[in-house]
Amino acid sequence: MILFRACSAIALAAILSSVPAGAALSQTVDPHLALEAVESPESLAWVKAQNDKTLPLLSADPRFAGLQADALKILASKDRIAMPTFVGKTVFNFWQDQTHVRGVWRRTSLESYKSADPQWETVIDLDALAAAEGRNWIWKGADCRPETHDRCLISLSNGGKDAVTVREFDLTTKSFIDPAAGGFVLPESKQTIEWLDADTLILTRDWGPGTTTDSGYGFVIKTLKRGQALSEAVEIFRGQKSDVSARPNVLRDAAGNRVVLLTRATDFFHDETYLWDGQRAERLPIPQKVGVRGLIGGKLVLKIEEPWTIDSNASAKSFPAGSLVAVSPGFLTKARDKEIAISNDCDPCQLLAPGPRQSIDQVAVTDHRVLAVVYDNVRGSLVSLRLRGEFGVTSQPLPVIDNAAVSLGSHADEGDDVFYTVEGFLTPTQLKLADATGTTAQTVKALPALFDAKNLVVEQKSATSKDGTAIPYFLVHRKDWKLNGQNPTLLHAYGGFNLSKLPVYDPLVGKLWLERGGAYAVANIRGGGEFGPAWHEAALKANRQRAYDDYFAVAEKLIADKATAPRHLGAYGRSNGGLLMGVAMTERPDLWNAVVVESPLLDMIRYTQLPAGASWIGEYGDPAIPAERAWIEKYSPYQNLKAGVKYPLAYITTSTKDDRVHPGHARKFAARLDDLKVDHLYFENTDGGHANGADPKANARRWALHYTYLSRQLMDH
């Protein structure tokens, strides 16, 4: 076993003697705990041994070089849409290509951006910065000072981690501001920062021992003035160590209102929301399952994920789960104390409520409108909502395309201009610019076709899950395919955290798989947000198995229809989808000949003890509670690998720098397969973080490895 070469053979032999090879892994003994030490010499030696086995095998395949070249051409193409971000009225973009591997942050005017050949000015050259400072900097974004838009907080990650170093940057001089001159510099941490005013930050981070939660996030919020050391920051709010996090949210609107909210996340889905007036924090009586989406006319725009009834002075108003609501902080504080009656002036009022097969996805607030992306049976639309006082709310659509995914982009800090994209599985992305107060939009950029789709077709179909629930799925395939069970088919899903799988244009799937004869299916299983909060909640905690049964039902339907057969059916998922892959492999190994297990959770008995696992108890449950552990251990992939089972050859992959889903999950799963003498492939990228691929070249290799493996397993023989 490879692990013996990395650790003490004597110590491991003593442990392993208590673990029968023919049984599931004991719940009290974990022989591979050493692999949880992310960068220990022993762990890295084990990783190297695994990589040295996998990389030569896949990279020697005659298809690998072509797949990598095609992937790099797409990822580094100058024909890609340079996605815009407004800073004031200026358009900024972060761009990577073969020349700028780490990337450049650049700017141009809106009019120039709309032209066929924008004239970009480089603001930060990240390749040059990393070289000058000898650091492995990866771009993580910029947050610019409101109103003046002259200074920005730049977040830089070491190798792609979620933890970032933050440095203040002057857009006028295009230089970082020295701390000696009053510039903000915040050392590496997982941190949430907002501009409170021009010279004051409000933030949460690791302030030192005892200030981070069990999930690894800060729970102490402080204000920091220009020129102050971190030790001089003033505490204004404190959550609890058992929370997920605490974070500030500073909201401003066109009328000059500013609202400062402090959010205590008691678990991943439940928040306590406090209004801070500069002196004290006062809890607002709003649902705990809520997303604060913006401020307009002094009113908070809330997306509520649970039913909400407001009672005040013998009157009441109710709003359904999944709806958008506007309400002023003043009304909330008075209503809580029964000091105000509910009136007809749209305070509070329902902006939008989804139907039974609908969901509200993204929401943006401009100076005068609230924009909402609405999905009806997983097909997107975009509406612009106007609050009209006692006249309620009016709605008007903005143009999209049929059967599309719709995504809101940046909107102007001043005015109502907004960028958004529309795309479909076979329809390249279009970037549109609209004035949210109108009904038209200009297509300012369009992605060229990056794969040949003329012989492809998209169908939306349905499978019946174990409990009788209809599970929709999309299927993309050649028009001339035959239902003979011979089609190499890749089935993708996620099924968690209220996140939806949408009909997006993915040129990598198109070029590296569809164009080469593969079929591609996307299952909209429970646990996602495709049909609102109830669809997500149906697979929470004790009901987690429903998501997995839904996925198996789609696979079985593909096989029953003779679209494919287990010999030619592959499964792919990452993160929570990687957990789905682990379950697919351990519960239904008969359904697949390939399983890509990427950035996965797999040891669900120890997941809360691996950063940032404790934050997900609201999704999966707590294995420290015996009753909850009982249903978690029924599906936890690491514990349910057994000897004597014919498993498909899995491709397991993660990143050393992943500080969101710990690489120990993937490592231990692979090591357990070694224990059982089950052949598998394992690759660990040493950079990239949870997002994978710190640069286009690394990401191109990543996808080439994926599709080389899938080609070998599903297209050969």
Side-chain angles (χ1 to χ4, degrees):
M1 187 177 69
I2 292 173
L3 192 58
F4 276 82
R5 295 197 293 271
C7 306
S8 166
I10 296 174
L12 277 175
I15 295 172
L16 287 174
S17 65
S18 64
V19 184
L25 186 64
S26 166
Q27 303 303 313
T28 58
V29 176
D30 186 346
H32 303 299
L33 278 176
L35 291 176
E36 292 182 3
V38 176
E39 294 188 308
S40 71
E42 294 81 10
S43 290
L44 294 180
W46 181 90
V47 168
K48 183 178 185 303
Q50 292 278 338
N51 285 355
D52 286 349
K53 178 182 73 172
T54 297
L55 278 177
L57 176 69
L58 294 180
S59 61
D61 187 286
R63 288 163 291 206
F64 175 81
L67 289 168
Q68 183 172 236
D70 284 343
L72 183 58
K73 184 177 179 181
I74 289 169
L75 292 168
S77 169
K78 296 186 184 301
D79 290 333
R80 287 174 293 131
I81 296 175
M83 287 300 178
T85 300
F86 278 113
V87 176
K89 295 183 179 180
T90 303
V91 173
F92 280 70
N93 164 256
F94 184 72
W95 183 260
Q96 292 174 290
D97 56 30
Q98 290 175 289
T99 304
H100 309 95
V101 175
R102 294 181 184 271
V104 292
W105 193 44
R106 55 189 189 171
R107 64 188 171 191
T108 191
S109 68
L110 178 58
E111 286 307 309
S112 175
Y113 179 78
K114 290 161 61 178
S115 71
D117 185 24
Q119 300 304 298
W120 293 104
E121 175 193 2
T122 296
V123 179
I124 297 177
D125 183 328
L126 204 61
D127 297 85
L129 180 68
E133 298 183 349
R135 301 295 297 273
N136 186 18
W137 288 135
I138 303 299
W139 181 261
K140 286 290 184 174
D143 179 15
C144 298
R145 192 158 64 174
E147 297 181 7
T148 55
H149 312 299
D150 56 344
R151 293 186 175 187
C152 303
L153 300 174
I154 305 299
S155 294
L156 301 171
S157 166
N158 173 24
K161 295 185 291 186
D162 285 352
V164 294
T165 298
V166 178
R167 296 157 63 177
E168 189 176 10
F169 186 85
D170 190 324
L171 286 178
T172 304
T173 62
K174 296 195 294 185
S175 61
F176 287 101
I177 304 170
D178 194 290
F184 290 112
V185 176
L186 303 171
E188 182 180 86
S189 179
K190 292 182 178 181
Q191 46 196 326
T192 302
I193 308 168
E194 298 270 347
W195 290 95
L196 191 59
D197 59 42
D199 296 301
T200 311
L201 306 181
I202 181 170
L203 68 158
T204 184
R205 55 171 283 120
D206 182 350
W207 299 101
T211 63
T212 58
T213 66
D214 295 334
S215 303
Y217 300 97
F219 66 87
V220 177
I221 301 176
K222 298 186 181 186
T223 58
L224 180 68
K225 292 186 177 296
R226 188 176 300 283
Q228 285 185 325
L230 280 180
S231 60
E232 298 174 292
V234 177
E235 180 177 328
I236 63 169
F237 184 84
R238 178 176 289 256
Q240 297 181 13
K241 191 175 188 301
S242 58
D243 295 341
V244 171
S245 65
R247 61 189 184 275
N249 188 8
V250 181
L251 303 168
R252 297 174 175 85
D253 68 15
N257 300 295
R258 189 192 73 172
V259 172
V260 181
L261 301 179
L262 311 177
T263 300
R264 177 189 168 209
T266 55
D267 68 23
F268 199 86
F269 303 108
H270 293 84
D271 294 334
E272 293 179 359
T273 305
Y274 295 79
L275 178 67
W276 186 62
D277 63 4
Q279 300 296 322
R280 65 191 185 97
E282 183 179 9
R283 187 174 173 185
L284 292 177
I286 61 177
Q288 291 192 49
K289 296 185 72 172
V290 65
V292 180
R293 296 294 183 249
L295 187 72
I296 187 167
K299 296 182 178 66
L300 297 171
V301 177
L302 310 177
K303 182 173 181 286
I304 59 171
E305 303 295 338
E306 60 186 348
W308 183 27
T309 298
I310 302 176
D311 291 301
S312 181
N313 281 351
S315 59
K317 205 165 189 178
S318 296
F319 307 101
S323 60
L324 278 181
V325 178
V327 62
S328 69
F331 174 87
L332 289 169
T333 55
K334 292 178 181 178
R336 181 197 56 215
D337 300 327
K338 308 296 182 183
E339 295 178 357
I340 192 170
I342 295 174
S343 65
N344 293 321
D345 68 348
C346 207
D347 189 13
C349 71
Q350 180 173 285
L351 300 177
L352 189 65
R357 297 291 284 181
Q358 292 183 323
S359 66
I360 298 172
D361 191 45
Q362 293 174 294
V363 178
V365 180
T366 67
D367 280 2
H368 304 99
R369 295 291 187 270
V370 177
L371 294 165
V373 175
V374 180
Y375 280 90
D376 191 330
N377 200 29
V378 207
R379 296 160 187 260
S381 63
L382 179 60
V383 295
S384 177
L385 307 166
R386 179 186 179 192
L387 285 72
R388 302 188 63 206
E390 62 181 312
F391 300 104
V393 179
T394 57
S395 172
Q396 58 193 34
L398 286 169
V400 297
I401 59 176
D402 292 336
N403 306 325
V406 181
S407 181
L408 287 169
S410 180
H411 58 84
D413 298 304
E414 303 167 2
D416 295 282
D417 282 348
V418 61
F419 287 107
Y420 65 97
T421 60
V422 296
E423 60 191 304
F425 282 116
L426 305 180
T427 305
T429 307
Q430 300 173 18
L431 176 69
K432 295 180 178 291
L433 175 64
D435 180 337
T437 65
T439 59
T440 61
Q442 175 187 2
T443 299
V444 293
K445 305 288 177 187
L447 189 70
L450 295 175
F451 63 93
D452 185 356
K454 64 179 179 296
N455 292 319
L456 298 173
V457 66
V458 179
E459 297 183 89
Q460 189 178 31
K461 302 171 78 68
S462 181
T464 302
S465 194
K466 188 175 181 179
D467 64 359
T469 302
I471 309 301
Y473 65 96
F474 292 101
L475 180 58
V476 189
H477 60 84
R478 293 181 63 86
K479 295 176 183 176
D480 60 354
W481 80 337
K482 294 179 174 59
L483 295 176
N484 58 8
Q486 300 298 305
N487 302 294
T489 302
L490 183 60
L491 176 58
H492 179 43
Y494 186 79
F497 295 94
N498 203 30
L499 298 176
S500 304
K501 297 306 298 181
L502 304 172
V504 299
Y505 186 78
D506 188 333
L508 290 166
V509 173
K511 188 70 177 178
L512 278 60
W513 187 249
L514 292 169
E515 196 176 277
R516 297 171 54 243
Y520 180 60
V522 175
N524 300 117
I525 63 179
R526 283 173 287 184
E530 286 87 346
F531 301 116
W535 196 249
H536 170 231
E537 291 165 5
L540 277 180
K541 295 187 175 182
N543 295 318
R544 197 82 206 159
Q545 187 63 40
R546 289 176 178 166
Y548 310 139
D549 290 341
D550 293 353
Y551 188 66
F552 304 154
V554 174
E556 289 169 338
K557 183 69 161 56
L558 289 167
I559 294 166
D561 290 346
K562 296 190 182 301
T564 190
R567 170 66 188 80
H568 300 287
L569 180 57
Y572 169 72
R574 66 181 306 272
S575 194
N576 172 74
L579 169 59
L580 172 64
M581 294 301 99
V583 176
M585 184 173 168
T586 53
E587 290 191 5
R588 293 300 306 273
D590 58 304
L591 289 176
W592 340 91
N593 200 43
V595 183
V596 179
V597 189
E598 185 170 23
S599 306
L601 289 96
L602 294 167
D603 183 352
M604 298 305 291
I605 300 304
R606 280 185 54 79
Y607 87 93
T608 58
Q609 300 174 58
L610 298 173
S615 63
W616 307 320
I617 287 174
E619 180 80 12
Y620 303 118
D622 188 350
I625 299 172
E628 299 188 7
R629 179 187 179 111
W631 34 261
I632 293 172
E633 65 186 10
K634 287 181 180 179
Y635 70 79
S636 181
Y638 180 51
Q639 283 75 21
N640 281 285
L641 285 169
K642 300 178 178 68
V645 177
K646 185 180 180 182
Y647 292 111
L649 179 77
Y651 175 58
I652 305 155
T653 179
T654 188
S655 168
T656 308
K657 290 292 197 295
D658 192 339
D659 56 350
R660 193 180 314 173
V661 177
H662 195 285
H665 286 279
R667 292 173 177 179
K668 295 197 303 179
F669 192 75
R672 178 58 177 162
L673 289 172
D674 277 335
D675 295 346
L676 300 174
K677 296 181 171 53
V678 174
D679 199 14
H680 65 278
L681 298 175
Y682 181 93
F683 174 68
E684 184 170 317
N685 186 13
T686 55
D687 274 330
H690 189 63
N692 280 294
D695 59 64
K697 290 181 179 177
N699 216 6
R701 181 179 69 167
R702 167 195 168 207
W703 286 111
L705 291 170
H706 282 43
Y707 284 103
T708 298
Y709 158 78
L710 289 167
S711 298
R712 290 166 63 93
Q713 291 300 112
L714 305 181
M715 290 182 170
D716 291 352
H717 307 303

